[in-house]
C-alpha cells in the first residue's frame, strides 16, 4: 500500500468511495461529481504550491500495488480564513444566592470561532474490505509525517473534528433537540450543505447568545463531546499521538474537536531524516511510517524496518513502493506510539 497525492485520474474511484460512505459518514466527501472534480483540481494546485494557506487542501489517496484506490485522507492548511469556522465551546455558568442557599453550575454552549487559522485533519475514509493490517493507521498517520516534513505549510496547532453520536438512521439527538428548531431541515441535509462549502446559513440562522444545556433533552446532553462508535478507533489513534479534547464540539452533532500543538504530535516530534538501505530488516523489525520527502510526488508507506548506523533498512518491496533506492533520504517514524500498541 502507498499513500500519495490525489490525481484527476482518481475521480471515478473517489465518486465510488463517496457513494459507499452512506448518508452521514463523511460530509467532506459528498457524492457530487462536480464538487469532487473541483476539489481534486484544487488539491493538485495545492501540492504544486499554487494555493495560499487559507485555501490549501492536501487530499491523499491510499492505493494498493495493483493501482486500486481504496481510501482517502486530507489536511486543510488553515480553517476559517475565507469563511467563518464555527464550534460550540462548552463552558460553565454559575448562579448562586447565599440568602436562598442556592448554588447552581450549568454547562453552557457558546458559539465560537476560536479554532480559526489552525490546520485540520479531515476526510478520512477507508473501504470496509481493506480495514485490515496496517492500512488504517497508514492512511491516517501518513498526514502527520507529511506535516513533519513540511511544517511551514501548516499552523501551529492541528485539529480534527470527530463524528458525533447518531443512530442507525442517521438521526442525531443533539440536532433533534437544538439545531432542528433553527434550521428546519434534516441533520443529514445541514451536514451535507456544510460539506459542500455552503456554510453562510449557519451564521444567518444559528442563535448568537449562549445556550444553557439544561434546556436540551437528556439524550442531547448525554452526547455532548462523545464520538460515534465507528469513530472510537480514530479517536484513540489521535489520542496516542498527543491529541486531546479541549471543550470544543461540532454545532450539529456535538462531536468533539481534538487538538494538538504541531510540534508536540508524536509522529512529528519523533520522526527522523534517515538514509535508506535496502536489504533484510530481520525478524525483530518494527513497522515504520516512511516518507520519500517529496511534495507533489509524495509517497508514504508502512513497512517493517530496522535502524542501523544512521540508516533505515527496508526490504526491496518497500523501496519500490517509495520509488527510492539505497542511499536516498527518507523521513521515518515508528508507526505506533508505545501506548497505542502494535
Amino acid at each position: 500500500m502507498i499513500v500519495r497525492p490525489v490525481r484527476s485520474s482518481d475521480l471515478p474511484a473517489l465518486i465510488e468511495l463517496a457513494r459507499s460512505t452512506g448518508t452521514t459518514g463523511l460530509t467532506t466527501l459528498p457524492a457530487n461529481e462536480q464538487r469532487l472534480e473541483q476539489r481534486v483540481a484544487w488539491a493538485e494546485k495545492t501540492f504544486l504550491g499554487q494555493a495560499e494557506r487559507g485555501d490549501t487542501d492536501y487530499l491523499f489517496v491510499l492505493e494498493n500495488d495493483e493501482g486500486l484506490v481504496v481510501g482517502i485522507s486530507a489536511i486543510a492548511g488553515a480553517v476559517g480564513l475565507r469563511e467563518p469556522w464555527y464550534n460550540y465551546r462548552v463552558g460553565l455558568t454559575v448562579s448562586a444566592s447565599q440568602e436562598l442557599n442556592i448554588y447552581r453550575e450549568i454547562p453552557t454552549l457558546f458559539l465560537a470561532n476560536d479554532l480559526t487559522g489552525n490546520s485540520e485533519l479531515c476526510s478520512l475514509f477507508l473501504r470496509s474490505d481493506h480495514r485490515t493490517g496496517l492500512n488504517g493507521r497508514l492512511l491516517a498517520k501518513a498526514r502527520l509525517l507529511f506535516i513533519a516534513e513540511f511544517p511551514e505549510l501548516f499552523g501551529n496547532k492541528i485539529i480534527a473534528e470527530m463524528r458525533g453520536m447518531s443512530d442507525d438512521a442517521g438521526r442525531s439527538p443533539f440536532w433533534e433537540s437544538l439545531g432542528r428548531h433553527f434550521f428546519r431541515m434534516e441533520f443529514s441535509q445541514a451536514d451535507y450543505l456544510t460539506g459542500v462549502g455552503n456554510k453562510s446559513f449557519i451564521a444567518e440562522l444559528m442563535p448568537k447568545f449562549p445556550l444553557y444545556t439544561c434546556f436540551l433533552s437528556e439524550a442531547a446532553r448525554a452526547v455532548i463531546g462523545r464520538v460515534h462508535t465507528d469513530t472510537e478507533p480514530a479517536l484513540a489513534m489521535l489520542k496516542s499521538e498527543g491529541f486531546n479534547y479541549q471543550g470544543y464540539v461540532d454545532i450539529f452533532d456535538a462531536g468533539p474537536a481534538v487538538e494538538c500543538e504541531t510540534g508536540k504530535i508524536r509522529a512529528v516530534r519523533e520522526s527522523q531524516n534517515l538514509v535508506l538501505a535496502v536489504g533484510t530488516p530481520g525478524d525483530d523489525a518494527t513497522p515504520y511510517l516512511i516518507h520519500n520527502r517529496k511534495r507533489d510526488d509524495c509517497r508514504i508507506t508502512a513497512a517493517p524496518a530496522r535502524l542501523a548506523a544512521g540508516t533505515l533498512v527496508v526490504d526491496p518491496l518497500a523501496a519500490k513502493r517509495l520509488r527510492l533506492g539505497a542511499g536516498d533520504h527518507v523521513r521515518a517514524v515508528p508507526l505506533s506510539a508505545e501506548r497505542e500498541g502494535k
Side-chain angles (χ1 to χ4, degrees):
M1 290 286 184
I2 198 79
V3 170
R4 60 164 176 79
V6 71
R7 299 189 293 256
S8 57
S9 57
D10 298 321
L11 188 58
L14 292 187
I15 293 172
E16 185 177 341
L17 281 176
R19 288 171 178 162
S20 68
T21 63
T23 57
T24 59
L26 190 61
T27 56
T28 55
L29 190 75
N32 179 308
E33 185 170 353
Q34 182 179 4
R35 171 67 179 172
L36 285 175
E37 186 175 3
Q38 292 173 347
R39 185 173 185 189
V40 169
W42 198 255
E44 289 181 310
K45 290 182 179 181
T46 294
F47 280 104
L48 291 171
Q50 298 173 358
E52 297 182 12
R53 193 166 76 86
D55 302 314
T56 52
D57 182 13
Y58 297 91
L59 182 59
F60 301 89
V61 297
L62 178 67
E63 179 184 80
N64 66 15
D65 291 337
E66 288 71 46
L68 177 66
V69 171
V70 298
I72 68 160
S73 63
I75 317 166
V79 300
L81 298 187
R82 294 292 180 263
E83 54 186 1
W85 182 267
Y86 293 99
N87 293 96
Y88 276 131
R89 176 169 51 84
V90 182
L92 195 68
T93 297
V94 176
S95 301
S97 171
Q98 289 184 343
E99 182 179 350
L100 299 176
N101 194 29
I102 293 175
Y103 181 88
R104 292 289 310 277
E105 293 183 351
I106 304 174
T108 312
L109 301 176
F110 298 86
L111 194 64
N113 308 118
D114 298 352
L115 299 182
T116 295
N118 296 315
S119 300
E120 183 200 16
L121 303 178
C122 57
S123 303
L124 178 66
F125 183 75
L126 178 61
R127 263 176 44 168
S128 59
D129 57 343
H130 282 75
R131 295 173 188 172
T132 58
L134 306 180
N135 295 344
R137 282 180 288 170
L138 167 60
L139 180 60
K141 295 190 178 190
R143 299 173 294 182
L144 305 180
L145 200 58
F146 187 84
I147 291 169
E149 180 63 28
F150 303 105
E152 70 279 2
L153 303 179
F154 303 100
N156 294 326
K157 185 182 292 183
I158 309 295
I159 64 172
E161 288 192 321
M162 314 305 292
R163 180 183 176 190
M165 294 292 290
S166 60
D167 62 20
D168 292 340
R171 289 188 296 266
S172 160
F174 186 79
W175 173 264
E176 295 299 325
S177 185
L178 178 58
R180 179 179 290 282
H181 297 293
F182 298 97
F183 292 91
R184 295 189 180 277
M185 64 180 69
E186 295 298 324
F187 168 69
S188 57
Q189 183 183 1
D191 224 16
Y192 173 82
L193 289 173
T194 61
V196 298
N198 185 2
K199 298 180 181 179
S200 60
F201 72 96
I202 299 175
E204 294 166 355
L205 299 177
M206 182 65 74
K208 306 299 186 298
F209 47 81
L211 297 167
Y212 295 94
T213 62
C214 58
F215 293 132
L216 301 179
S217 68
E218 183 178 349
R221 294 197 302 271
V223 301
I224 294 174
R226 290 182 57 196
V227 298
H228 192 280
T229 304
D230 293 346
T231 307
E232 288 176 355
L235 178 60
M237 183 276 293
L238 288 173
K239 284 184 174 180
S240 75
E241 291 289 337
F243 286 76
N244 55 74
Y245 170 60
Q246 294 291 330
Y248 293 94
V249 300
D250 182 77
I251 64 170
F252 291 153
D253 63 14
V258 294
E259 56 188 81
C260 187
E261 292 181 31
T262 305
K264 293 182 178 180
I265 298 172
R266 195 275 315 183
V268 174
R269 185 183 68 248
E270 297 182 4
S271 68
Q272 302 178 67
N273 293 325
L274 298 165
V275 176
L276 193 68
V278 181
T280 303
D283 295 336
D284 59 345
T286 300
Y288 266 75
L289 197 62
I290 312 167
H291 178 11
N292 67 355
R293 304 197 65 194
K294 298 178 182 179
R295 182 169 161 177
D296 59 312
D297 193 26
C298 161
R299 295 178 73 83
I300 303 171
T301 194
R306 173 173 51 88
L307 287 174
T311 66
L312 186 72
V313 183
V314 301
D315 62 27
L317 178 59
K320 179 181 178 182
R321 287 171 175 165
L322 293 166
R323 294 179 179 170
L324 296 177
D328 288 329
H329 287 260
V330 296
R331 179 175 289 276
V333 69
L335 180 62
S336 297
E338 288 185 8
R339 60 189 172 191
E340 181 184 0
K342 302 299 181 183

